[in-house]
Amino acid sequence: MDIPRIFNIAESAHRIHNPFTPEKLATLGAALRLEPETRVLDLGSGSGEMLCTWARDYGISGTGIDMSQLFSEQAKLRAEELGVADRTEFVHGDAAGYVADEKVDVAACVGATWIGGGVAGTIELLAKSLRTGGIILIGEPYWLHLPSSEEIAKGCGAGSISDFLTLPDLIESFDDLDYDVVEMVLANQDGWDRYEAAKWLTMRRWLEANPDDDFADEVRAKLTSEPKRYAAYTREYLGWGVFALMAR
């Protein structure tokens, strides 16, 4: 069980696998008014930066589930580095369908709503692990402005324009599901640049270290195309944010 190899390579040096900076993660934790002993479930936890830094800064405890073997191991190392291994657990596994044995205070899926077949299905999944009155966190892209063609949407990594909503429509979709939006923290341009551009040096270093790898041609093609694609499409059209929701 693992994610596609290109992601393990391109994001192997990332601590945060979405367009958030460390400052944005800290802002989110503060915005949620996290208290010591808050229990957090993170589906698609990546390299564990959210749980580890929140355990260090706010005293929470948490469990993260991620399909990447590499990222899961990095998360455990990060927990040891920050001295929070006793309060965090990272499981290499499929987050799709995962339900916690004990109800949690915060149930999160920050950038991997494919695990529930989209936003609505992921909210439904997270709710199964959530205590009454708890908070759901959803991290999701949205259109800064609607693309004028399907080609542009595909350039942003979407299958079609309908894959994402504008920010007002995304917030309205939470309302339609009978959830209050009680907080939100949105990525900025620097966060997008750090997430996307950091992949390029990682891929270049990997190519230099692995010139004879059977996967080298694919990595080379990705490194050649990604800066142009990102500058032309994602940077112009796509936003991203984390939305805190409470059931009515």
Side-chain angles (χ1 to χ4, degrees), residues 34-40 54-55 58-62 86-87 103-106 131:
L34 294 172
E35 299 285 346
E37 307 308 320
T38 297
R39 294 166 298 170
V40 181
W54 286 2
Y58 305 111
I60 64 103
S61 61
D86 60 330
R87 297 203 300 278
K103 299 291 187 180
V104 298
D105 303 296
V106 178
R131 69 164 177 82

Side-chain angles (χ1 to χ4, degrees), residues 181-198:
V181 179
V182 296
E183 258 293 359
M184 72 176 185
V185 178
L186 304 181
N188 58 23
Q189 198 65 74
D190 182 60
W192 269 112
D193 291 346
R194 291 303 81 236
Y195 173 56
E196 293 289 351

Side-chain angles (χ1 to χ4, degrees), residues 82-93:
L82 297 185
V84 296
D86 60 330
R87 297 203 300 278
T88 57
E89 178 186 11
F90 293 98
V91 179
H92 173 231

Side-chain angles (χ1 to χ4, degrees), residues 33-172:
R33 307 171 197 175
L34 294 172
E35 299 285 346
E37 307 308 320
T38 297
R39 294 166 298 170
V40 181
L41 173 67
D42 188 7
L43 300 186
S45 51
S47 296
E49 192 72 0
M50 185 174 81
L51 289 183
C52 289
T53 56
W54 286 2
R56 177 196 64 193
D57 298 340
Y58 305 111
I60 64 103
S61 61
T63 299
I65 316 294
D66 200 272
M67 284 186 67
S68 169
Q69 180 77 52
L70 172 65
F71 299 164
S72 298
E73 292 303 317
Q74 289 177 336
K76 294 174 184 177
L77 292 173
R78 184 63 167 157
E80 293 174 3
E81 178 186 357
L82 297 185
V84 296
D86 60 330
R87 297 203 300 278
T88 57
E89 178 186 11
F90 293 98
V91 179
H92 173 231
D94 188 357
Y98 183 90
V99 177
D101 293 333
E102 297 183 12
K103 299 291 187 180
V104 298
D105 303 296
V106 178
C109 180
V110 180
T113 55
W114 52 266
I115 68 170
V119 169
T122 301
I123 290 173
E124 182 179 0
L125 172 62
L126 292 171
K128 295 177 181 178
S129 297
L130 195 68
R131 69 164 177 82
T132 302
I135 290 176
I136 285 176
L137 296 181
I138 291 289
E140 183 71 2
Y142 58 87
W143 295 122
L144 295 172
H145 47 271
L146 284 174
S148 58
S149 69
E150 295 292 348
E151 179 184 358
I152 292 173
K154 289 179 170 61
C156 295
S160 68
I161 295 173
S162 62
D163 280 3
F164 305 134
L165 300 172
T166 63
L167 181 57
D169 287 343
L170 179 57
I171 289 176
E172 185 175 352

Side-chain angles (χ1 to χ4, degrees), residues 13-27:
H14 282 52
R15 282 184 174 165
I16 303 172
H17 300 275
N18 56 56
F20 260 16
T21 60
E23 293 77 17
K24 288 287 186 179
L25 270 186
T27 296

